[in-house]
Amino acid sequence: MLPQRAKKAITDNPKKLADLIDLANLPSKLREFVGQSQISRLGCFMRVWSYIKTNNLQDANNKNVVNCDEKLRSILLGKHQIELAELPKLIKLHFPKQQK
């Protein structure tokens, strides 16, 4: 069940949802990280988030910061630390722009 705010966002702008769930061909670095040649942007974000949680990469003092290991750095522009708010933007850079 979706929260009311999410339902409103989907009904107001279905194209935005389509951009999140449409499959896209991945570049080689992201393909190696995810282990698939095609995935949606939302699916990719979920895989990266799962990797962060599984490998305990969140900073112990500030849970809004992720300490990147070598594998994660390869897809996040080589940054050693990122804020969680940056994660969707950095993942979005790997996906081709949709034609209007």
Side-chain angles (χ1 to χ4, degrees):
M1 181 170 241
L2 290 172
Q4 189 63 29
R5 194 170 97 192
K7 286 180 186 176
K8 182 171 175 16
I10 291 169
T11 56
D12 288 352
N13 193 354
K15 177 157 179 19
K16 196 171 197 176
L17 176 66
D19 288 346
L20 286 176
I21 62 174
D22 284 346
L23 293 179
N25 292 323
L26 300 178
S28 61
K29 286 184 183 181
L30 197 57
R31 187 179 310 137
E32 290 170 13
F33 184 88
V34 173
Q36 290 181 268
S37 61
Q38 284 190 331
I39 196 168
S40 67
R41 209 165 79 205
L42 182 60
C44 182
F45 176 81
M46 291 171 64
R47 289 273 176 97
V48 172
W49 178 245
S50 175
Y51 179 82
I52 290 168
K53 295 296 274 183
T54 303
N55 292 294
N56 199 24
L57 296 176
Q58 278 183 289
D59 191 71
N61 298 325
N62 184 357
K63 294 290 186 182
N64 290 324
V65 174
V66 174
N67 298 314
C68 301
D69 63 359
E70 194 64 38
K71 188 174 179 182
L72 195 56
R73 258 183 278 177
S74 70
I75 64 165
L76 298 179
L77 303 177
K79 294 185 175 195
H80 292 277
Q81 260 190 351
I82 63 161
E83 301 242 350
L84 281 179
E86 289 180 271
L87 190 58
K89 294 174 192 169
L90 292 172
I91 290 173
K92 184 179 178 180
L93 293 175
H94 291 283
F95 287 81
K97 296 201 185 274
Q98 300 291 326
Q99 297 211 356
K100 295 181 180 180

